[in-house]
Amino acid sequence: TDGQELIVPCRVTAPDIHVKLRMIPGENIVPDGKTVIWDNTKGFVIPKATYKFIGLLSCETTVNGHEYSTKYLTFRLNNEIISVQVNDSKPVKLFKGQSLVLNCSITAAWNTRVQITWTYPGEASKRATISRSIRQRKDGPNLFYSILVVDKVHGIDKGQYICNVKSGPSLKSDSVTVFIYDKAFITLQHRQKNMLDVMSGKKSYRLSMKVKAFPTPEVVWLKDGLPAAEMCARYKTKGFSLIIKHVAEEDAGNYTIMLSTRQWNLQKNLTITLRINVKPQIYEKVSSIPGPTLYQLGTKQILTCIVYGIPQPVIKWTWQPCQQNHSRTRYDFCSSSENPQVLTTESATGNRIQSITQRTALIEGKNKTASILVVAESRTSGTYSCIASNKLGNDKRDISYFVTDIPNGLSINLKKAPVEGQTLVLSCLANKYLYKDLTWLLPRTANNQTRIRKAIVKE
């Protein structure tokens, strides 16, 4: 190690014999009494050796015309333990009477020497036989092995086995737990409950149970009584779990895990129900004709909202009246600064509500809910909103409810039949929520005159 004392033991039988120290290849190392000291009882002493003294050293002398030499190889001492691992598979499970074999593999840097010891339950009675080996590699770090063997294990041999590795000040260890069983067994339980909820569209979902078994049993998952892996390519068994990729509504059902150990004639089954939750969807949002709808003044109207979702959504209706002012400009589809009001049959705001009912029916193979709002008498323009909610979120449909006494929202009236030479009076009526900037386009001649009165906004 750099900075420590190094002794090259070039000892001689007579103190007056001249001895030289030489690096191979290289020059002689001459003692100067400080960095290199000659001691005929010890040899060459280097009090604070540096890495320049690493290599092949030769002690040389000549006695009675004969040359004598002794060579020593010095190397850099290393204490780097790269890794320690006990067995690849953990924990270790055995039946009584079987043999336990544990392999501790140590990877260490070049020039590293290690001490390996084991700590284990039967250590006091020396229950284990331990052997060691080393594999030196030219192209990588050295590998050390320590193998612990216990013949015919008993209950006293269960517990934690620790492989301790030491190199100078460096310490590392790894452990494994050993279980000893009298006979084969399978225990199977639900992790939390026997019914699970998962959201449709989830990228991946794992179905799993609490399983304790020895030896490891065969695993088969069933969906509604049929092998799951054969029903759908999205189902994969991994360990004791079933992985469902890209969860869809059709994945709802009863899933059964079957565990069996044929050699011991053991079998256990357990079923769990999977519910697929779906965010509310209002079908009229995609099926109805876009754009505003006109409702004749004083008429009775029926508004519907068909909803699908799991769990079944809660549906409510709200009302937001159009703002009232005398501007000549269009009201931009009934904008309003008022907060929407939740409707009931007793609501006194807006149009009188006759009833709000709800019923569920099987439509296209799905249980859908229809909410029906009956407006007893159309008097006020505004926006009705159907809001469907469940624990996954909500969906909303806005219905622009424009009440008008003008057929089709736009009409041109003639006061009386035109007579040549008399004044012709035409009037144009338009719904203020749909139209703005009313303008007459009239064919003109040199002799006739046309006067246009300003538009009048009528509430």
Side-chain angles (χ1 to χ4, degrees):
T1 301
D2 192 29
Q4 290 188 346
E5 183 183 72
L6 173 65
I7 298 177
V8 185
C10 302
R11 292 186 292 272
V12 292
T13 56
D16 57 345
I17 295 177
H18 179 66
V19 182
K20 297 185 297 182
L21 180 65
R22 185 167 65 90
M23 292 286 298
I24 300 177
E27 301 178 351
N28 291 339
I29 299 173
V30 180
D32 58 5
K34 292 182 179 180
T35 56
V36 181
I37 302 169
W38 165 252
D39 185 333
N40 58 21
T41 62
K42 296 181 179 180
F44 289 95
V45 179
I46 304 172
K48 294 182 179 180
T50 61
Y51 290 135
K52 75 176 185 178
F53 294 103
I54 293 175
L56 187 61
L57 298 175
S58 177
C59 296
E60 300 174 353
T61 189
T62 301
V63 178
N64 299 326
H66 295 282
E67 293 183 356
Y68 298 92
S69 68
T70 303
K71 294 176 175 59
Y72 296 95
L73 179 65
T74 61
F75 60 90
R76 179 180 178 179
L77 188 62
N78 202 337
N79 300 121
E80 183 184 0
I81 303 169
I82 298 173
S83 67
V84 178
Q85 183 177 12
V86 178
N87 281 32
D88 293 331
S89 59
K90 300 177 180 181
V92 175
K93 298 179 180 181
L94 297 170
F95 286 119
K96 282 185 179 179
Q98 290 184 316
S99 294
L100 170 65
V101 180
L102 298 178
N103 182 16
C104 182
S105 304
I106 302 100
T107 306
W110 283 354
N111 298 332
T112 299
R113 294 294 178 264
V114 297
Q115 294 177 317
I116 308 170
T117 58
W118 285 88
T119 304
Y120 60 96
E123 185 178 3
S125 55
K126 297 182 179 181
R127 290 275 298 159
T129 302
I130 299 171
S131 61
R132 297 176 178 85
S133 63
I134 181 174
R135 179 186 171 191
Q136 294 180 315
R137 299 189 296 182
K138 295 181 180 179
D139 57 346
N142 293 328
L143 297 177
F144 298 85
Y145 300 99
S146 180
I147 300 173
L148 180 147
V149 179
V150 179
D151 289 326
K152 297 180 180 180
V153 296
H154 297 285
I156 61 171
D157 297 311
K158 67 180 179 181
Q160 191 175 43
Y161 287 68
I162 305 172
C163 177
N164 307 291
V165 182
K166 181 180 179 181
S167 179
S170 300
L171 294 170
K172 277 193 177 181
S173 64
D174 190 27
S175 65
V176 64
T177 302
V178 176
F179 296 92
I180 311 296
Y181 299 109
D182 294 323
K183 59 182 180 180
F185 68 94
I186 298 174
T187 61
L188 184 58
Q189 292 179 319
H190 292 109
R191 287 199 172 275
Q192 291 180 338
K193 48 190 177 181
N194 59 6
M195 184 172 290
L196 300 174
D197 294 287
V198 62
M199 183 177 178
S200 176
K202 191 177 179 67
K203 187 176 180 180
S204 178
Y205 187 75
R206 179 190 293 267
L207 274 176
S208 61
M209 307 284 195
K210 286 183 179 179
V211 178
K212 290 184 179 180
F214 183 73
T216 302
E218 295 180 10
V219 183
V220 176
W221 278 92
L222 306 179
K223 181 182 184 292
D224 297 328
L226 298 175
E230 298 177 10
M231 293 179 63
C232 183
R234 295 184 291 108
Y235 300 162
K236 301 291 183 183
T237 301
K238 187 175 182 179
F240 295 122
S241 301
L242 179 69
I243 309 298
I244 302 175
K245 296 287 188 180
H246 306 292
V247 178
E249 287 186 57
E250 57 265 27
D251 296 323
N254 294 320
Y255 290 81
T256 302
I257 183 173
M258 299 179 62
L259 303 178
S260 61
T261 307
R262 296 180 183 178
Q263 180 182 355
W264 299 86
N265 196 27
L266 290 175
Q267 183 170 326
K268 285 287 180 70
N269 304 333
L270 195 60
T271 300
I272 193 167
T273 300
L274 186 65
R275 293 185 301 197
I276 308 300
N277 293 332
V278 181
K279 187 179 177 181
Q281 303 164 7
I282 298 175
Y283 281 81
E284 285 87 351
K285 288 182 68 174
V286 294
S287 61
S288 60
I289 299 174
T293 303
L294 294 176
Y295 299 89
Q296 200 65 29
L297 181 67
T299 59
K300 176 181 176 179
Q301 299 292 338
I302 299 175
L303 306 180
T304 61
C305 191
I306 299 176
V307 180
Y308 175 69
I310 302 175
Q312 183 177 335
V314 175
I315 305 171
K316 67 179 180 181
W317 289 88
T318 65
W319 164 258
Q320 190 173 32
C322 293
Q323 63 182 3
Q324 298 293 326
N325 61 39
H326 297 278
S327 171
R328 292 182 58 190
T329 59
R330 190 179 61 164
Y331 286 0
D332 203 14
F333 288 100
C334 192
S335 60
S336 176
S337 59
E338 294 185 30
N339 291 326
Q341 301 176 12
V342 178
L343 295 177
T344 65
T345 52
E346 288 81 23
S347 295
T349 182
N351 302 299
R352 185 168 61 86
I353 304 302
Q354 179 175 313
S355 64
I356 300 176
T357 58
Q358 187 171 297
R359 61 187 178 89
T360 301
L362 189 64
I363 304 173
E364 299 175 347
K366 297 179 179 180
N367 283 320
K368 298 179 183 179
T369 303
S371 183
I372 303 164
L373 172 69
V374 179
V375 178
E377 189 177 9
S378 301
R379 291 291 177 186
T380 307
S381 296
T383 301
Y384 285 106
S385 297
C386 171
I387 303 171
S389 307
N390 67 11
K391 64 182 181 180
L392 299 185
N394 59 71
D395 197 10
K396 180 181 179 183
R397 178 197 176 203
D398 292 329
I399 303 171
S400 297
Y401 198 86
F402 297 151
V403 177
T404 183
D405 56 357
I406 306 169
N408 301 318
L410 177 67
S411 68
I412 297 176
N413 299 319
L414 180 62
K415 191 170 184 180
K416 64 179 180 178
V419 177
E420 187 176 357
Q422 293 184 354
T423 300
L424 176 64
V425 180
L426 294 174
S427 62
C428 177
L429 298 177
N431 185 277
K432 62 184 177 183
Y433 298 113
L434 301 181
Y435 303 99
K436 67 176 181 178
D437 299 333
L438 299 181
T439 303
W440 287 96
L441 299 177
L442 304 173
R444 295 181 178 276
T445 65
N447 296 323
N448 74 345
Q449 294 182 353
T450 303
R451 289 179 300 186
I452 303 175
R453 293 185 179 181
K454 293 183 179 179
I456 299 174
V457 178
K458 179 182 177 182
E459 297 299 332

